[in-house]
Amino acid sequence: MNEVYQPRRYQKPIPVFWWLRRRSYFVFALRELSCLFVAWFIVFLLLLVAAIGAGPERYRQFLMWSATPWVLLLNFIALLFVTLHAVTWFNQIPQAIVLRLRGWRVPPIWIVAPMYLLWVVISTVAAWVVIGG
Amino acid sequence: MMVNGEPKLGCATFLAEYAPGPVQIEPLSNFPIIRDLVVDIDDVMRKLVEVTPWIVREDDQPLKAGEYLQTPTELDEYQRYSMCINCMLCYSACPSYALDPAFIGPAAIAIAQRYNLDSRDQGSRERMDVLSAPAGVWACTSVGACTSVCPKGVDPAGAIQQYKLTSATEALKTLLWSRGTR
């Protein structure tokens, strides 16, 4: 009986550090990692709220703990990652939302710009409340 | 093929761009290699068919009514997704496809969107089950490498993100309307 020859296939293994091969892979890996720092900021915010609720002494202790070098460094790194998270998220929005006004396609920058503007406005108001208010 | 680690069309890549060299040529990555530079593309060929890549009509208009008319705006909705030449550079660049071979992939989703957005087509419901499955659009992690390597400017990443929005909206509608009819 004649059998059809099936050549073997070779599947090249994926290296562990595949995400270092291209810039887009690296940015993707950083973006995924940024979720951990978003979670850290939420935990930090909850600890802050709990400290405020526990009274002035507990709040003072929380502020002193927040000023320790490792917490400052962690929060600085977390700020960079959260910024990356927000920027990459905003830049994806025009990909998902295609707006047309009477047949004219709204340019992607018009969809993204209000997001950034709102971010700046809310951040400014929050900073004014915390620092100056 | 892969040229210096990048998915490229061999026919459109010139040695002069890589002078003085060296130039490393490899078979297209993320595909099983048969021999030398030949890879097995059966998986992608099967997935392209799974998304029903043709005009589906629930009701055909009679022949004497003439052709289905389309305005330039209606054509513009899907035209860029129709430029795909099935070169599979996007599959080669996609880490989601590399790590999860069940993912239907960028080209299949782009061609599905080409027909979903075509005003003559009435088959979007038929494609929804395949596209909204875990191995459909939701297996994409928005790396975007597919769009950057595409030689025809198809923007499969854009097609995928748009369909994620469509799929989520439809799921919400199904949830709300089904609760409303109880």
Side-chain angles (χ1 to χ4, degrees):
Chain A
M1 181 181 292
N2 292 329
E3 290 181 8
V4 175
Y5 172 65
Q6 292 287 350
R8 289 181 304 170
R9 305 287 192 264
Y10 172 67
Q11 186 77 48
K12 201 171 173 184
I14 301 165
V16 170
F17 294 104
W18 61 267
W19 46 277
L20 290 174
R21 278 169 40 202
R22 294 175 70 101
R23 184 181 171 277
S24 59
Y25 297 169
F26 184 61
V27 172
F28 157 73
L30 289 182
R31 189 191 72 210
E32 298 295 291
L33 189 63
S34 70
C35 300
L36 294 178
F37 293 94
V38 171
W40 161 247
F41 261 158
I42 293 171
V43 167
F44 188 81
L45 182 65
L46 290 173
L47 290 174
L48 171 65
V49 170
I52 292 170
E57 180 55 28
R58 183 71 187 88
Y59 179 58
R60 191 188 63 82
Q61 288 173 355
F62 179 84
L63 289 181
M64 286 181 62
W65 172 76
S66 301
T68 54
W70 75 270
V71 176
L72 278 176
L73 181 63
L74 177 60
N75 280 340
F76 177 71
I77 294 171
L79 177 63
L80 294 177
F81 271 102
V82 168
T83 304
L84 173 74
H85 188 94
V87 168
T88 51
W89 181 251
F90 284 167
N91 289 347
Q92 277 212 327
I93 292 173
Q95 276 193 320
I97 299 175
V98 176
L99 286 180
R100 287 187 185 274
L101 297 173
R102 296 187 181 210
W104 174 73
R105 181 170 176 170
V106 176
I109 190 72
W110 288 28
I111 299 173
V112 171
M115 309 280 176
Y116 282 107
L117 190 61
L118 196 61
W119 185 13
V120 169
V121 167
I122 292 175
S123 297
T124 305
V125 169
W128 178 76
V129 167
V130 170
I131 300 168
Chain B
M1 61 180 73
M2 306 296 284
V3 179
N4 286 355
E6 290 291 315
K8 292 278 190 185
L9 293 180
C11 55
T13 304
F14 299 94
L15 284 177
E17 295 170 12
Y18 298 89
V23 180
Q24 182 171 331
I25 295 176
E26 297 166 278
L28 215 52
S29 57
N30 303 344
F31 291 98
I33 300 167
I34 297 174
R35 185 172 174 164
D36 298 330
L37 295 175
V38 181
V39 296
D40 184 346
I41 62 172
D42 287 351
D43 181 56
V44 175
M45 289 288 110
R46 181 179 49 78
K47 285 168 178 167
L48 286 175
V49 175
E50 276 178 13
V51 299
T52 319
W54 49 80
I55 299 274
V56 173
R57 295 287 303 185
E58 289 172 355
D59 50 0
D60 289 312
Q61 67 186 28
L63 280 176
K64 59 184 176 185
E67 59 273 79
Y68 294 103
L69 298 179
Q70 202 167 59
T71 65
T73 303
E74 287 170 334
L75 174 65
D76 191 52
E77 287 279 340
Y78 70 86
Q79 189 173 28
R80 84 181 301 179
Y81 303 133
S82 72
M83 305 309 284
C84 178
I85 57 173
N86 296 341
C87 63
M88 295 170 212
L89 299 191
C90 51
Y91 284 83
S92 186
C94 177
S96 298
Y97 182 67
L99 296 167
D100 177 16
F103 176 35
I104 62 169
I109 298 171
I111 200 72
Q113 269 298 77
R114 175 255 176 274
Y115 287 99
N116 283 340
L117 297 174
D118 193 323
S119 55
R120 300 166 295 179
D121 179 76
Q122 295 171 332
S124 56
R125 287 260 161 228
E126 208 168 307
R127 297 184 192 98
M128 186 164 287
D129 286 344
V130 174
L131 294 176
S132 299
V137 294
W138 301 110
C140 168
T141 51
S142 309
V143 177
C146 52
T147 292
S148 57
V149 302
C150 179
K152 290 296 179 185
V154 172
D155 190 18
I160 295 170
Q161 306 323 318
Q162 285 174 40
Y163 198 82
K164 282 180 181 174
L165 187 60
T166 303
S167 179
T169 306
E170 289 300 316
L172 191 60
K173 280 185 197 172
T174 305
L175 181 68
L176 292 174
W177 295 171
S178 65
R179 285 172 71 87
T181 54
R182 279 187 203 153

